[in-house]
Amino acid sequence: MRRTRFDDWPCPIARTTDLLGDWWTPLVLREAFSGRRRFDEFQRALGIPKAVLSARLDRLVDDGLMVTVEYQDNPVRHEYRLTPKGRAMWDVLAAMWRWGSDWAFDGEPPVILSDRETHQEVVPLVVDENSGAPLDPRRLRMRRNPRTDVSA
C-alpha cells in the first residue's frame, strides 16, 4: 500500500502528520528528548528494527529536526542531535503526552513528567502564545492567512 503524502498541503496539521504519521518517529523524538544520541541507544531503548530506525533518523535529519555530529573518527561514528527545529517539536509531543496521560490509561499513567530540579510533576497545557489562555476549540476557527496567497 502506498502512503499518502501531505507535505505540500496548506494545512499545518497535515504537514506535521506527514512527518509524524508513523508510530516510530514520535518515539524516536521522545528518546532524543530523553538524552539518547547514538544509533545503538535508540535501537536498544525502542527495540526498533535497525532498517526502520535508520530510515526514521535519515528523515529527521533530511527535514532539519536533527543533525549528525561525528563523535569518533576511526571508525567514523556519528550521533544525532536535535536542532532548534527539532527542539520545537517538544510542544507537539507534550500535547500528545497530556492527551495520553488523560485518556489512554485506566487510572494513573505509569510514568509522569517532572521538573529536573524540583522533581515536581509537570502537566503540559496548550495555550495561546498571545494571551496565555488555554485553547478552547469551541472558540477557534481556521481561516485563510491574509499574509499569504495560499488558500486553507
Side-chain angles (χ1 to χ4, degrees), residues 55-121:
R56 297 313 178 270
L57 288 168
D58 287 348
R59 172 89 192 266
L60 290 167
V61 169
D62 290 346
D63 285 347
L65 280 79
M66 298 182 102
V67 293
T68 57
V69 177
E70 186 177 309
Y71 70 88
Q72 179 179 307
D73 61 3
N74 191 11
V76 174
R77 296 197 187 275
H78 294 90
E79 62 184 20
Y80 297 86
R81 295 188 185 169
L82 291 163
T83 64
K85 183 178 180 180
R87 286 189 297 277
M89 186 58 79
W90 173 251
D91 294 346
V92 175
L93 297 182
M96 292 172 69
W97 184 286
R98 174 63 188 265
W99 187 93
S101 294
D102 288 353
W103 298 103
F105 296 92
D106 292 330
E108 294 288 321
V111 292
I112 61 170
L113 289 176
S114 65
D115 184 275
R116 286 183 190 267
E117 293 179 17
T118 67
H119 305 288
Q120 295 294 312
E121 183 175 2

Side-chain angles (χ1 to χ4, degrees), residues 127-145:
V127 300
D128 173 26
E129 185 174 318
N130 295 315
S131 69
L135 296 182
D136 180 349
R138 297 168 297 186
R139 295 187 44 88
L140 303 174
R141 69 181 176 103
M142 288 180 261
R143 65 180 177 92
R144 185 184 168 283
N145 184 345

